[in-house]
Structures are given as structure tokens and as C-alpha cells.
RNA sequence: GGCCCCAUCGUCUAGAGGCCUAGGACACCACCCUCUCAAGGUGGAGACACGGGUUCGAAUCCCGUUGGGGCUGCCA
């Protein structure tokens, strides 16, 4: 069943904003690796930066994961609760000579720099033998020599000697920084594979160096291509609409979201495009993850959402659709019955559930803007309305079939087409030029209400 | 600036030296179907960034150029 050994992976978001689709993809890929290998997923909240974290963002992480239909096997653990452990490892590094205290301010580092030289710390305090004290940060002593990172997705990446500065482990407040905290946790929780976004690739050699200094085994790293916007820039919580919660509210469903995200950066190697989560577990392999940045294309997401909605059973569709029209349904005594009847008719007509109110609202509450509607009427339409109203009043059984037969007869007698005849009727009945199938909508509405609406529009139109 | 990553239709991608007059999907266009709109069906337009190699043969391998991106913080 499991071709490889069980992987212990982790998903480690930092709660500094809305949970966005890039994070969703990262946890998905991690989750798939864990499931496929028979391993487990650790959820870790990287909240070492107290300044930027907010508790509501933490809740947002849990909610989004749950909504996506994913879960975790261990945790959540909070890095903010393990500060002492990170500090203890940092001091261990200090005692091993792999770290040193530094009192350089950012300004001092800048001033020492000759114009034109690249930014970064120059190692000024390396051998000053400073002890711990106020204003002193603990820096890692980066050894000479290149660092080779073996990446699951990109192969070997070499960082030349001298390209990595002596980075900070502990702030002068003794607060640990993320590279340190990450490495300590990855060791303590026995992480076997670190799968994360490509933006972390430049810090990976630092992690490798810390592992080496600690003489601990190095996990396997894999860096996923970043997700970009149409300007080809990394998706940003500030610039782009990317919050998973936004998509939920717009009426996107988790299954197509997962499906789309899975295919953004990964492909099965054949032409298959629709996958359920459990199917992804079987099909997914890291080998088939792409290398280049991928544009998060809402059009394509819409396609998956639309296809998914259409694939649902009528009952399942009604269930997911209901919350988006609940307040409308409540407006009419027969609201629930009407909703159940119309739901199958609109299932293939919407891309997102939020389109529903505008499309079927006329069944529950009718308050048309007659001025706008009249503008859409053509010369013959007013006469059509009167004829149709009269004909409909004589129907014995107000069913979809009878209505259609009746209207075809009217169209024939008026020497016009059903296509042309239905246009003014649709406006009178639904208030809009497009919408669900007209005849079934009318049957749902009932004879009296249809006649009333036809007559109302007729009156308004003929008085002008 | 430095380091790193990336490079096939507008977009997501297939392609692991001959199967490629480069395949699929989204979007787009046309036609069919049709009570509107969808859905469905058929067809169409649309890409190997450029230059050198290697090879009998390159979208596929190597080098360079160009372009894009990421990182460059006592953020993550």
C-alpha cells in the first residue's frame, strides 16, 4: 500500500493574516504526503513574533483547514509555548562555539559598509568574545564552505561559501527567530520531510547549518513553486483577494477548491482533471510537482466549482445551496417547497452559490423595477402579454407541459416564435431577461401569481 | 547590487533525444441543440523566449543571453 516509509510532515503557518490559498495548497500537499505514506501531519503555529500575531488569525487557520476537509494528526503546537526550549538550544550552540553575541545595531552595520557592497552582516563581532548582555543578539557562526541543499523538487541547490551571513538566532530580547525555532521543532517532533513554499528556499541552508552544528539528522526538504497573481508577483494577503474564507463566502465549495489547488503545481501525468480528495491520495507524488510559479486563476477555479455543482445529486445540491438563499426562502410561506423544485433547474446555471439569490429570488419575493423592465419590451410585446395572460387563465392544469403547449399555440396564432414570445413573459414573471427555465418556474409560481404578474406588467407598459 | 529559483498556447499544463505537422483543460470564437441563460455536442484560433553548442536527430542535454520571480529583517 505504502511504497515509501511513513513520512512525518508538518504544516507551520504563522498567524499574521487571513489564511490564504497558498497556505491551503501547502497543507494539502503535506496532507497528501502524510496520507499516502501512511505517516502523519503535525500542525504547528509559528507565532514566535508576538508583534505580528493575532489570536483571531489562529482561529482562522483551524476553521480554514476544517472547511477544506483536511485535518492534522498531532498538535496544534504553539511555538510561543516553546520559547525556553529554543533558548536552551541556542545556548547549547553558544557553548559549542557555533554562536556568539553581537551588539551591532543595524545602523552600525550600515555605516561600516563601503558604498556599493552588498547588504548583510559583516561578522564584526565574530571574535570579539562578547558575553550576554543588554542589546546583544546571538548570531550563528556560519562556517566556511558551500552549503548544499538537497531538494526533493529541485535537486541539489548549492549556496556558495560566503553567501550566507552570520544570522541572528536570538534577538537581544532573547526572543528566538524562526529559523532556529523551526529547526528545533523539526528535530524535537521528528519531522522527516519539510514541504513548504519556495520563498523559504533561501533560508534552508541556514537550517541545514544549524542541524549540522547540532549533529542532528537533516530532514528532506521540498520547495513548492510560489503562487502568483496576474502581475506574476507572489500572492499577497494585502494586494490580492486570496483568503480561503472569501471564497467560501462567495459560494465556492471545498471539494473543487481542493481539486483546483492540487492541480496548481502538480499534475497526474495524464489528462484527468477531476479528483476527489481520496483519489488524490493515491495519485499524488512529489515527483510530479512542477518547478515554475503558477498563476492562481479564478476562472479556472470557477470551472471546477461549476463542474462540481453540476455533478451533485439534486438533494446534495439543495443542501449546499440552501444557506445561500435561506433568508429569501423564509420570505414566502411555500418557500421551502419552491426552493426544492427550482434547485435542480439552476444547478448547471451557476458558477458559485452566491449567484443564487439573484437568479431565483423572484420565486420568494417579487418587487420588480418596472421602469427598467419596460425599456426592454419591444413593440409587439405588450400585445403578447395580454394574449398570454388570457390564454393562461383558461388552463385546467397549470403544469410545465400544459404551459408550454399553451404558449406554443399562442405563438403560432400570433405568427411569432416561442423564442420571441417568451421574452416579455420572462420579464413579467421573473423581472429579468435571463433566468431559470421559464415554464417550470411558472408552474412553481402557480396560475394566479403568473397571471397577476403578466397583467401587472401589461398595465404598466400600456399606460405609457 | 548579491545569492537562489524558474522559462511550452493568454492561463494551468503533457512532453523525461526520434512516437511532435507539440497533446489536454480553462478562457475565447463559430456552428449545432434550444423557451432565455446555462449544460451538452462539433469545429477553430492559439505556445516550445533568444543565441550557441552536443547529436544522424533537440521542446527535451550543456553553455550563454534575455525575461520573470523569490530572498536579502534582532519577520515568517
Amino acid at each position: 500500500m505504502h511504497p515509501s516509509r511513513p513520512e512525518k510532515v508538518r504544516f507551520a503557518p504563522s498567524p499574521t493574516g487571513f489564511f490564504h490559498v497558498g497556505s491551503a495548497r501547502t497543507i494539502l500537499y503535506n496532507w497528501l504526503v502524510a496520507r499516502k505514506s501512511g505517516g502523519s501531519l503535525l500542525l504547528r503555529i509559528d507565532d514566535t513574533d508576538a508583534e505580528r500575531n493575532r489570536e483571531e488569525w489562529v482561529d482562522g487557520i483551524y476553521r480554514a483547514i476544517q472547511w477544506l476537509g483536511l485535518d492534522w494528526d498531532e498538535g496544534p503546537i504553539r511555538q510561543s509555548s516553546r520559547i525556553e526550549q529554543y533558548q536552551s538550544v541556542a545556548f547549547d550552540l553558544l557553548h559549542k562555539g557555533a554562536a556568539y553575541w553581537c551588539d551591532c545595531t543595524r545602523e552600525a552595520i550600515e555605516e561600516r559598509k563601503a558604498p556599493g557592497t552588498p547588504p548583510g552582516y559583516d561578522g564584526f563581532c565574530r571574535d570579539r568574545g562578547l558575553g550576554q548582555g543588554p542589546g546583544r543578539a546571538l548570531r550563528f557562526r556560519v562556517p566556511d564552505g558551500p552549503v548544499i541543499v538537497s531538494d526533493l523538487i529541485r535537486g541539489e541547490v548549492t549556496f556558495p561559501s560566503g553567501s550566507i551571513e552570520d544570522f541572528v538566532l536570538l534577538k537581544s530580547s532573547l526572543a528566538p527567530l524562526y529559523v532556529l525555532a523551526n529547526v528545533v521543532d523539526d528535530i524535537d517532533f521528528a519531522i522527516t520531510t519539510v514541504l513548504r513554499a519556495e520563498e523559504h528556499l533561501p533560508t534552508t541552508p541556514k537550517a541545514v547549518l544549524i542541524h549540522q552544528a547540532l549533529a542532528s539528522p537533516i530532514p528532506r526538504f521540498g520547495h513548492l513553486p510560489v503562487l502568483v497573481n496576474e502581475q506574476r508577483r507572489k500572492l499577497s494577503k494585502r494586494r490580492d483577494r486570496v483568503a480561503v474564507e472569501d471564497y467560501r463566502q462567495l459560494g465556492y465549495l471545498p471539494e473543487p477548491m481542493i481539486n483546483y489547488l492540487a492541480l496548481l503545481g502538480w499534475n497526474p501525468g495524464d489528462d484527468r482533471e477531476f479528483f476527489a480528495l481520496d483519489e488524490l491520495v493515491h495519485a499524488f507524488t512529489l515527483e510530479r510537482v512542477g518547478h515554475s510559479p503558477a498563476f492562481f486563476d479564478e476562472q479556472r477555479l470557477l470551472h471546477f466549482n461549476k463542474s462540481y455543482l453540476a455533478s451533485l445529486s439534486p438533494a446534495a445540491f439543495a443542501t449546499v445551496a440552501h444557506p445561500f438563499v435561506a433568508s429569501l426562502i423564509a420570505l414566502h410561506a411555500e418557500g421551502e417547497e419552491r426552493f426544492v423544485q427550482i434547485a435542480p433547474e439552476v444547478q448547471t446555471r451557476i458558477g458559485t452559490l452566491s449567484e443564487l439569490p439573484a437568479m431565483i429570488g423572484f420565486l420568494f419575493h417579487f418587487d420588480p423595477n418596472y421602469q427598467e423592465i419596460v425599456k426592454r419590451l419591444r413593440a409587439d410585446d405588450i400585445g403578447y402579454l395580454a394574449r398570454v395572460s388570457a390564454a393562461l387563465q383558461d388552463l385546467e392544469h397549470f403544469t410545465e407541459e400544459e404551459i408550454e403547449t399553451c404558449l406554443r399555440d399562442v405563438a403560432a396564432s400570433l405568427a411569432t416564435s416561442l423564442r420571441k414570445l417568451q421574452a416579455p413573459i420572462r420579464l413579467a414573471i421573473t423581472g429579468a431577461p435571463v433566468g431559470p427555465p421559464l415554464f417550470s418556474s411558472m408552474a412553481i409560481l402557480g396560475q394566479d401569481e403568473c397571471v397577476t404578474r403578466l397583467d401587472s406588467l401589461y398595465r404598466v407598459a400600456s399606460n405609457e
Side-chain angles (χ1 to χ4, degrees):
Chain A
M1 189 68 241
H2 305 296
S4 52
R5 67 176 191 282
E7 299 282 1
K8 174 103 179 263
V9 297
R10 40 73 152 190
F11 174 61
S14 74
T16 55
F18 292 110
F19 191 88
H20 71 94
V21 292
S23 302
R25 190 195 56 170
T26 299
I27 186 178
L28 171 62
Y29 285 22
N30 273 287
W31 189 91
L32 291 172
V33 165
R35 286 291 168 278
K36 176 151 189 160
S37 70
S40 62
L41 170 66
L42 165 72
L43 176 63
R44 189 175 78 210
I45 307 297
D46 280 11
D47 56 356
T48 47
D49 186 358
E51 300 274 305
R52 306 201 317 151
N53 299 143
R54 299 231 309 253
E55 209 50 36
E56 60 184 288
W57 301 138
V58 178
D59 293 336
I61 292 168
Y62 303 152
R63 274 204 313 277
I65 294 173
Q66 185 181 33
W67 179 75
L68 286 166
L70 304 178
D71 54 15
W72 58 92
D73 305 292
E74 190 178 343
I77 70 154
R78 304 285 292 256
Q79 287 197 323
S80 54
S81 72
R82 289 175 43 79
I83 303 293
E84 289 174 11
Q85 170 65 5
Y86 308 139
Q87 289 168 338
S88 138
V89 173
F91 281 101
D92 183 30
L93 251 12
L94 174 66
H95 296 139
K96 284 177 168 157
Y100 60 90
W101 294 104
C102 167
D103 65 358
C104 298
T105 61
R106 185 135 194 88
E107 296 71 45
I109 296 170
E110 283 304 317
E111 281 172 27
R112 276 202 298 274
K113 200 152 298 168
T117 39
Y121 181 64
D122 56 1
F124 183 77
C125 297
R126 261 192 167 218
D127 302 307
R128 289 176 66 206
L130 257 29
Q132 184 180 351
R136 291 178 183 178
L138 189 70
R139 285 185 183 271
F140 186 82
R141 188 189 302 276
V142 174
D144 283 337
V147 181
I148 296 170
V149 174
S150 181
D151 191 277
L152 257 10
I153 293 167
R154 286 152 217 288
E156 287 197 346
V157 181
T158 304
F159 295 82
S161 188
S163 68
I164 305 162
E165 62 179 322
D166 284 357
F167 54 93
V168 173
L169 259 12
L170 252 32
K171 299 187 194 180
S172 50
S173 66
L174 297 188
L177 259 5
Y178 119 105
V179 203
L180 203 223
N182 269 270
V183 170
V184 172
D185 282 337
D186 289 345
I187 293 170
D188 289 355
F189 292 88
I191 300 302
T192 60
T193 295
V194 175
L195 237 202
R196 60 210 329 186
E198 189 195 323
E199 63 210 69
H200 295 280
L201 187 50
T203 67
T204 306
K206 299 177 182 174
V208 168
L209 256 14
I210 298 175
H211 272 104
Q212 287 171 345
L214 259 15
S216 86
I218 298 168
R220 306 200 297 167
F221 289 97
H223 289 91
L224 307 171
V226 292
L227 261 31
V228 299
N229 62 20
E230 51 268 86
Q231 280 82 241
R232 290 259 136 208
R233 303 195 139 263
K234 186 176 74 163
L235 244 33
S236 145
K237 292 168 184 173
R238 298 182 48 191
R239 272 195 308 265
D240 311 299
R241 185 182 72 189
V242 289
V244 169
E245 174 65 16
D246 287 347
Y247 287 101
R248 185 188 70 72
Q249 286 183 9
L250 283 166
Y252 289 88
L253 292 176
E255 293 84 353
M257 175 66 86
I258 290 279
N259 196 157
Y260 173 61
L261 252 15
L263 260 14
L264 240 201
W266 170 84
N267 76 82
D270 57 29
D271 289 342
R272 188 165 176 206
E273 71 166 331
F274 294 111
F275 289 88
L277 193 50
D278 59 331
E279 294 169 331
L280 285 171
V281 172
H282 293 287
F284 187 83
T285 62
L286 244 26
E287 290 70 41
R288 297 207 62 86
V289 172
H291 297 186
S292 36
F295 169 53
F296 186 82
D297 187 356
E298 268 186 63
Q299 293 250 53
R300 197 163 158 77
L301 172 62
L302 187 64
H303 160 69
F304 280 98
N305 205 60
K306 188 166 192 159
S307 300
Y308 180 78
L309 287 172
S311 76
L312 256 20
S313 72
F317 175 75
T319 300
V320 296
H322 195 278
F324 286 79
V325 279
S327 58
L328 264 177
I329 291 172
L331 258 29
H332 195 280
E334 292 165 23
E336 294 294 344
E337 291 84 343
R338 289 185 169 189
F339 171 65
V340 170
Q341 291 179 75
I342 199 65
E345 303 281 19
V346 294
Q347 203 174 334
T348 60
R349 289 181 161 76
I350 54 170
T352 65
L353 263 10
S354 61
E355 296 168 32
L356 235 28
M359 186 169 287
I360 63 175
F362 69 94
L363 288 172
F364 312 99
H365 170 70
F366 196 57
D367 182 23
N369 182 343
Y370 280 117
Q371 286 193 337
E372 290 304 311
I373 292 176
V374 168
K375 285 181 193 166
R376 293 179 178 276
L377 257 23
R378 291 169 308 119
D380 294 335
D381 286 348
I382 298 174
Y384 291 175
L385 288 169
R387 282 289 297 271
V388 168
S389 172
L392 251 24
Q393 289 181 53
D394 294 336
L395 278 188
E396 296 240 353
H397 306 289
F398 205 69
T399 63
E400 180 180 345
E401 295 72 24
E402 298 262 313
I403 294 167
E404 176 165 359
T405 304
C406 172
L407 294 181
R408 282 187 188 282
D409 291 345
V410 172
S413 71
L414 289 169
T416 188
S417 64
L418 188 57
R419 180 188 182 84
K420 285 180 179 163
L421 184 65
Q422 63 88 35
I425 304 175
R426 180 180 297 282
L427 284 168
I429 299 293
T430 73
V434 299
L438 183 57
F439 310 142
S440 53
S441 297
M442 291 170 73
I444 293 169
L445 229 30
Q447 195 163 20
D448 293 346
E449 206 160 337
C450 286
V451 169
T452 301
R453 291 187 186 186
L454 287 164
D455 291 347
S456 295
L457 179 57
Y458 175 77
R459 267 198 305 279
V460 174
S462 56
N463 285 349
E464 287 185 23

